[in-house]
Amino acid sequence: QVQLVESGGGLVQTGGSLRLSCVASGRAFSTYTVAWFRQAPGKEREFVAGIRWSGKYYADSVVGRFTISRDNSKNTVFLQMNSLKPEDTAVYYCAAGTVAGISQRPYEYHDWGQGTQVTVSS
């Protein structure tokens, strides 16, 4: 089990940037796959980006705009979000799991943060 806490959400104008952080507590953090998901009102939870030792993967909707990274020494995963659009508005969650690959299925992740709200205005 790993415990996750997200931060960095807020209100930003179209074209602006935000950097989300996910701080983890728990041993062997570097062995976990960590992913970011988002959920807008009335919508299903959607995969955004994931990271593990084998690499990274992004949803098509954020390629070229978002970057996922991790600092294992600080037990932290980041999501740098640039060129934000109103359709990026959602609650963003980080999640951790021991799945072998970078899964895009929410049920593959067993530990979740509380979420942080991102609102992009125009």
Side-chain angles (χ1 to χ4, degrees):
Q1 177 178 300
V2 60
Q3 296 175 327
L4 307 169
V5 179
E6 304 100 327
S7 63
L11 176 64
V12 66
Q13 294 180 324
T14 297
S17 298
L18 286 172
R19 189 196 196 201
L20 306 184
S21 298
C22 175
V23 180
S25 62
R27 295 183 61 82
F29 171 73
S30 63
T31 69
Y32 288 88
T33 295
V34 179
W36 288 94
F37 291 80
R38 65 188 182 188
Q39 188 166 24
K43 301 291 183 65
E44 294 292 316
R45 191 163 296 188
E46 174 189 30
F47 175 85
V48 177
I51 187 169
R52 61 176 294 114
W53 289 110
S54 58
K56 306 173 183 179
Y57 192 80
Y58 298 94
D60 288 343
S61 60
V62 306
V63 168
R65 299 189 299 121
F66 292 10
T67 302
I68 189 170
S69 61
R70 68 193 297 168
D71 184 342
N72 289 327
S73 69
K74 298 180 179 179
N75 281 7
T76 303
V77 173
F78 304 97
L79 185 68
Q80 178 67 46
M81 306 186 296
N82 298 326
S83 302
L84 283 162
K85 308 173 182 179
E87 52 262 44
D88 295 318
T89 295
V91 177
Y92 283 70
Y93 301 88
C94 64
T98 55
V99 60
I102 302 176
S103 177
Q104 300 182 45
R105 301 181 291 273
Y107 56 81
E108 296 275 11
Y109 296 85
H110 300 294
D111 300 299
W112 292 80
Q114 83 288 349
T116 185
Q117 176 71 48
V118 172
T119 302
V120 184
S121 63
S122 60

